[in-house]
Amino acid sequence: MSGWSELPPEIIHMISLRIDNPFDLIHFRSVCSWWRSCSLQTFRPIPSLRCPLPPDAGGCGDDCHILRSRVYLVTSLSHDPPRFWLFKLQEEENGALALQSLLNRRTSSEWGVSYPSLLIDLLNSQVVELVQEHVACYTYWCDLFDGPAGSYKCEQPIGFMRLDGENKEFMALGRLSFQGLGMYRSFEDRWTEIETTSGPFPDGITWFNGQFYVIDTAGVTKVVKPILEVSSFRRSRPCNKTRKRWFVKAEDKLLLVEMCTRNLEEYRRPHLLAEKGWFEVSELNEERNDWIQMEDVGGRVLFLDDHFSLSCLPNQVPGFKPNSIIFKGVLGYYGHQVFEFGEQGFILLGDIPEYTQLFPSPSWIVSNV
């Protein structure tokens, strides 16, 4: 075989079957006419991974599945200077794709929000996947006092670890209907409850370097190995000013990001939180089982939501200032907010014109409605 263009058709088709997002398939089919003729014509939706809860999971249905969302950065190369847009696609239970607001889990079918279908000129644009988020979704049944029974959909953040290239074998860790933590291992096809006592609800949960990490509202970090061994530690530098926590993976580092106020009153009052709140960041030291405080985020830009977090370098998303955090407003603030290290308090993202154009559908993206 003299070149890639002469790959056997069955090999090309097999590779195209393994591509799990529509943009990579378009790029794959664009290599040459031979690859295009031998590969899938359109992206094949991939149904959600199933992880049914045990029958004795009080009040919960057996429809538990994992929803995956991906955050993309689109760069328009036909503009000078180039323009950028951040957006999120969620894979629905049946595999269909739905456009989501970046720092919300809202799709066009929820909450009366309308996000139009869009056309992106991929000949003059670059699309890069930045991060994935995973949540467990299931039905919860409950009796409403003396009234009729009802049900509603629950979504809980989980730690997710893929075990094979085809995304069929996986492990997930979360606190769903259990008193404590539970792990689902697909090769066993069941959940195993690894903590049977109720404790503080997790503030953050993720996987990193082959292990799961959970931190609760009391600041205790638990390390869960795939073989179901659990250990825990508290950081050597205690902090009684933390109100909310996130895990962020930044290249080869795991960061703990904490929103802080001097007292609870400042956290509970939105105007005081915006005026006096701040963030602290620590890096995991795996050898010492400790969180080592950092002065800032090393020039990065962090994005924080309830179910996902994202770390970027400023040259990946031009327009954002280094050492800044963009986050979904808490309590009385429903918009996005910005914190810049070296400054005091939080700023509404809408008050920074160069930031706002990166979130809604920009004018250079063509509506398909």
Side-chain angles (χ1 to χ4, degrees):
M1 186 176 65
S2 60
W4 290 103
S5 62
E6 298 181 11
L7 279 174
E10 62 272 14
I11 298 297
I12 297 174
H13 186 73
M14 182 178 65
I15 294 173
S16 71
L17 289 173
R18 291 173 175 263
I19 297 175
D20 66 351
N21 79 73
F23 298 107
D24 284 350
L25 180 61
I26 292 171
H27 294 148
F28 182 83
R29 286 173 48 81
S30 301
V31 170
C32 64
S33 58
W34 176 242
W35 284 27
R36 185 162 56 251
S37 65
C38 299
S39 57
L40 286 175
Q41 293 186 0
T42 58
F43 180 67
R44 184 181 60 175
I46 302 174
S48 294
L49 297 169
R50 316 298 296 186
C51 50
L53 293 167
D56 59 347
C60 295
D62 60 358
D63 61 342
C64 189
H65 57 279
I66 295 173
L67 293 180
R68 176 172 62 175
S69 298
R70 306 169 190 250
V71 176
Y72 293 95
L73 172 67
V74 180
T75 304
S76 172
L77 304 176
S78 59
H79 292 83
D80 188 18
R83 298 184 182 179
F84 305 89
W85 181 42
L86 289 166
F87 72 98
K88 183 163 60 172
L89 285 181
Q90 175 178 285
E91 299 169 5
E92 304 283 12
E93 185 176 359
N94 61 2
L97 300 176
L99 185 64
Q100 279 189 330
S101 174
L102 181 64
L103 295 181
N104 288 300
R105 291 196 52 76
R106 293 182 176 182
T107 63
S108 57
S109 61
E110 300 172 315
W111 308 98
V113 179
S114 179
Y115 301 120
S117 57
L118 304 170
L119 290 175
I120 300 176
D121 180 8
L122 291 178
L123 292 176
N124 295 296
S125 301
Q126 181 184 57
V127 182
V128 178
E129 180 182 319
L130 297 179
V131 74
Q132 296 184 13
E133 65 168 344
H134 297 84
V135 299
C137 182
Y138 57 94
T139 302
Y140 183 80
W141 299 87
C142 61
D143 294 324
L144 302 177
F145 300 103
D146 295 329
S151 66
Y152 59 91
K153 286 288 187 181
C154 291
E155 287 187 357
Q156 295 290 347
I158 58 171
F160 180 86
M161 185 185 300
R162 189 168 64 176
L163 300 179
D164 68 340
E166 297 183 4
N167 205 34
K168 293 180 180 179
E169 298 295 337
F170 65 96
M171 291 187 292
L173 180 76
R175 180 177 174 182
L176 306 182
S177 59
F178 315 108
Q179 290 294 313
L181 292 170
M183 181 182 290
Y184 182 87
R185 300 193 290 186
S186 59
F187 52 85
E188 294 179 329
D189 194 24
R190 65 183 177 89
W191 286 90
T192 301
E193 193 166 3
I194 57 178
E195 267 192 350
T196 57
T197 57
S198 178
F201 208 81
D203 235 1
I205 183 169
T206 191
W207 71 269
F208 178 73
N209 282 354
Q211 300 183 125
F212 292 99
Y213 288 85
V214 183
I215 190 165
D216 61 28
T217 53
V220 177
T221 301
K222 296 175 182 177
V223 185
V224 183
K225 296 183 178 181
I227 57 175
L228 305 182
E229 289 183 359
V230 182
S231 60
S232 64
F233 66 90
R234 288 181 178 270
R235 65 180 180 184
S236 57
R237 181 187 58 84
C239 180
N240 59 0
K241 298 179 174 60
T242 301
R243 311 303 169 203
K244 191 172 175 62
R245 298 173 176 86
W246 293 263
F247 284 136
V248 183
K249 284 184 276 191
E251 293 86 43
D252 59 345
K253 298 176 172 49
L254 181 62
L255 306 181
L256 172 63
V257 182
E258 300 172 290
M259 179 185 289
C260 303
T261 59
R262 291 179 300 179
N263 52 62
L264 280 174
E265 185 72 10
E266 290 180 357
Y267 180 70
R268 291 169 177 165
R269 293 182 177 271
H271 69 283
L272 291 177
L273 177 62
E275 179 182 343
K276 299 184 178 182
W278 75 91
F279 280 90
E280 294 186 0
V281 180
S282 305
E283 178 185 341
L284 175 67
N285 185 311
E286 295 182 82
E287 294 182 359
R288 293 167 49 185
N289 275 344
D290 200 0
W291 295 101
I292 309 303
Q293 187 171 7
M294 304 167 60
E295 292 185 1
D296 51 39
V297 290
R300 300 178 180 86
V301 181
L302 305 186
F303 297 84
L304 306 177
D305 187 14
D306 292 336
H307 296 322
F308 94 102
S309 60
L310 167 64
S311 168
C312 294
L313 296 173
N315 60 358
Q316 290 180 283
V317 282
F320 287 100
K321 293 182 180 179
N323 290 319
S324 61
I325 298 177
I326 292 87
F327 61 100
K328 180 182 176 182
V330 297
L331 301 177
Y333 278 119
Y334 297 101
H336 305 329
Q337 295 177 272
V338 181
F339 172 75
E340 297 175 355
F341 283 85
E343 303 292 334
Q344 183 174 0
F346 306 147
I347 310 168
L348 285 175
L349 185 139
D351 293 337
I352 309 176
E354 58 267 36
Y355 283 12
T356 56
Q357 64 179 341
L358 289 163
F359 288 94
S361 171
S363 58
W364 52 269
I365 296 289
V366 181
S367 176
N368 194 28
V369 294

